[in-house]
Amino acid sequence: MRLLHTSDWHLGQHFIGKTRQVEHQAFINWLLKQVHQHQVDAVIVVGDIFDTGAPPSYARELYNRFVVELHGAGAQLVLLGGNHDSVATLNESRPLLAYLTTHVVPAVADDPAEQVLVLPTRSGRPGAVLCAVPYLRPRDLLQSQAGQSAEEKQQSLQEAIHRHYQTVYVLACAKRDELGLKLPIVATGHLTTVGASASESVREIYVGALEAFPTSAFPPVDYIALGHIHRPQLVGGLEHIRYSGSPIPLSFDEAQQEKTVLLVDLDEQGLQAVTPLPVPRFQPLAAVKGTLAELAESIPMLASQSTAEQPVWLEVMVRGDDYLTDLQGRIEAITDGLPVEVLRLRRERGSASSNLQSNTRETLDELTPFDVFAKRLEQEELADELKQQLTGRYRDIVASLAEGAA
């Protein structure tokens, strides 16, 4: 059985005024070639298929075309809801896509048995049993109890997630026994695990509750395909628990990452191999930092990464020149005539108020409420203990508001 594990496509992402449509179309075309070349039996997309709950029409079109073309390629498709995805949006086409060998699992099912899927090989015989676990919303797993602290809520949610995984795993074992075949069992998850390394484009998914799920709480399956973290990585050094990462950089701090999808080979003995397939870079982007003199040398060098159709998207951090009032004009003079486009301009230093205002204006669409609060605390000279107390109280307030809205 050969699976292709990918996640966090974020179709429809609006990146600092730029659409990612061309990049996503190029990635999908490339992915379909990999499916043909490597004779993939099933593709699993582990959450955050779309960037928002109401994706633009072109993102829906990319989604639908991919489903049709993958069906024509002879591979199964499993699509799992992530924290960015709307359950209603994924649900609306689920019955129709089932006719195209596509399983859509938007959220926790009323009957956990619906989250147990038998994945066939290209020859039609059963190849693996899948515990198809999407993003787990707290309200789908437990009821809030008055008077709980943030730590108690975190513990309750962690236990509820553990129970859900165990329930689905037991049903998967029963399905395997029913088939009378020695099949590998695979699980999915869209969450943060202990030890995972995130990036600035990853938003907290369990507001005020679960920060990281321990790997020891997963069931003893042969492979765990994870999503939500955009940096490809093993978790806890374990070969069988992996994040595939996002296929394109979703923030400037991901610009230097090698993006991948994962080929996963399994047989009746379990996991045999995981092979990362590097995804080509379809849009050059880079973050550059230095004084104006240094930038005058480094930016032209970065411009060599551009293509005839695609200038390099830049984030520029200016160091040591915060007394200048015409910084924008000076950067424009450096980049004049070069195939680059500055999407974000920042100063490394500056007064606390102007720095906070600048950061808020430029990156608020990418920040969580906790990021904004943390940045505000950075402007105050407070003891670490007091900062921790304030952060804890703020998390309790946000958690209470989130529960009220639900």
Side-chain angles (χ1 to χ4, degrees):
M1 183 77 185
R2 173 165 284 178
L3 306 177
L4 192 150
H5 166 200
T6 178
S7 72
D8 296 276
W9 289 12
H10 289 265
L11 298 177
Q13 189 201 35
H14 192 69
F15 182 68
I16 317 180
K18 296 294 183 180
T19 176
R20 317 301 295 273
Q21 181 176 0
V22 172
E23 294 170 83
H24 276 126
Q25 181 63 74
F27 163 68
I28 288 173
N29 293 341
W30 175 85
L31 186 68
L32 288 166
K33 290 180 181 178
Q34 307 311 304
V35 171
H36 283 287
Q37 178 181 338
H38 297 283
Q39 289 294 287
V40 171
D41 297 302
V43 175
I44 303 176
V45 186
V46 193
D48 284 354
I49 302 158
F50 296 110
D51 190 59
T52 66
S57 59
Y58 79 81
R60 292 171 182 254
E61 184 177 353
L62 287 174
Y63 171 81
N64 291 326
R65 283 186 178 179
F66 174 69
V67 169
V68 172
E69 293 182 22
L70 189 65
H71 174 70
Q76 297 282 312
L77 176 60
V78 180
L79 299 166
L80 296 131
N83 59 299
H84 280 248
D85 295 310
S86 161
V87 175
T89 298
L90 294 182
N91 254 330
E92 65 186 13
S93 58
R94 185 166 61 93
L96 177 62
L97 298 187
Y99 287 97
L100 297 172
T101 58
T102 296
H103 303 278
V104 182
V105 185
V108 173
D110 292 334
D111 180 2
E114 295 179 13
Q115 292 177 229
V116 177
L117 308 175
V118 178
L119 300 179
T121 63
R122 285 176 171 266
S123 64
R125 63 177 177 80
V129 180
L130 179 67
C131 300
V133 180
Y135 165 54
L136 300 174
R137 290 171 172 80
R139 65 174 178 267
D140 294 335
L141 298 177
L142 48 77
Q143 292 184 342
S144 177
Q145 298 181 19
Q148 278 189 319
S149 67
E151 292 76 13
E152 290 170 336
K153 290 176 182 178
Q154 176 176 332
Q155 184 63 32
S156 296
L157 181 56
Q158 181 173 300
E159 292 171 355
I161 293 175
H162 172 72
R163 287 194 300 270
H164 184 76
Y165 269 105
Q166 291 301 318
T167 298
V168 178
Y169 173 67
V170 168
L171 291 170
C173 292
K175 174 61 71 174
R176 180 176 59 182
D177 294 342
E178 176 188 324
L179 294 170
L181 299 172
K182 194 174 181 182
L183 299 176
I185 297 180
V186 176
T188 64
H190 190 87
L191 73 177
T192 303
T193 57
V194 174
S197 178
S199 64
E200 70 174 23
S201 62
V202 176
R203 302 176 191 174
E204 291 289 339
I205 56 177
Y206 296 114
V207 177
L210 183 68
E211 294 183 352
F213 188 69
T215 55
S216 60
F218 284 117
V221 298
D222 296 289
Y223 182 75
I224 302 177
L226 296 176
H228 181 59
I229 302 299
H230 298 167
R231 180 179 287 110
Q233 58 195 282
L234 287 73
V235 178
L238 300 172
E239 289 287 336
H240 75 293
I241 307 179
R242 293 183 182 244
Y243 287 97
S244 63
S246 60
I248 67 172
L250 296 167
S251 62
F252 277 110
D253 76 333
E254 297 178 21
Q256 300 304 314
Q257 292 177 15
E258 181 179 67
K259 295 300 186 178
T260 67
V261 299
L262 301 176
L263 277 182
V264 182
D265 288 300
L266 304 113
D267 62 17
E268 62 181 17
Q269 303 301 320
L271 180 65
Q272 296 303 306
V274 179
T275 307
L277 300 180
V279 180
R281 184 60 54 88
F282 304 109
Q283 166 63 57
L285 71 161
V288 60
K289 177 179 179 180
T291 64
L292 286 174
E294 292 168 339
L295 292 171
E297 295 182 2
S298 58
I299 290 178
M301 294 175 61
L302 289 171
S304 63
Q305 300 177 12
S306 68
T307 65
E309 300 82 13
Q310 298 168 310
V312 181
W313 291 349
L314 289 181
E315 177 188 58
V316 178
M317 176 79 78
V318 182
R319 183 173 57 212
D321 294 295
D322 57 9
Y323 60 89
L324 296 173
T325 59
D326 59 343
L327 190 58
Q328 183 77 36
R330 289 174 180 259
I331 295 298
E332 288 176 355
I334 291 174
T335 59
D336 185 41
L338 296 175
V340 300
E341 191 170 355
V342 179
L343 302 191
R344 181 187 292 156
L345 175 60
R346 294 177 172 179
R347 300 176 188 266
E348 186 182 42
R349 295 194 319 220
S351 67
S353 59
S354 64
N355 185 53
L356 179 64
Q357 182 181 11
S358 174
N359 284 346
T360 302
R361 182 180 66 252
E362 293 171 350
T363 67
L364 189 58
D365 60 333
E366 298 179 6
L367 297 177
T368 69
F370 303 112
D371 294 330
V372 176
F373 188 76
K375 288 179 179 294
R376 181 63 184 86
L377 276 184
E378 289 175 3
Q379 314 308 317
E380 300 293 333
E381 294 185 2
L382 301 174
D384 289 342
E385 183 178 354
L386 179 56
K387 286 185 177 182
Q388 292 175 1
Q389 292 175 353
L390 291 172
T391 300
R393 291 182 182 180
Y394 181 73
R395 284 183 174 273
D396 287 341
I397 292 170
V398 175
S400 298
L401 291 173
E403 291 165 3

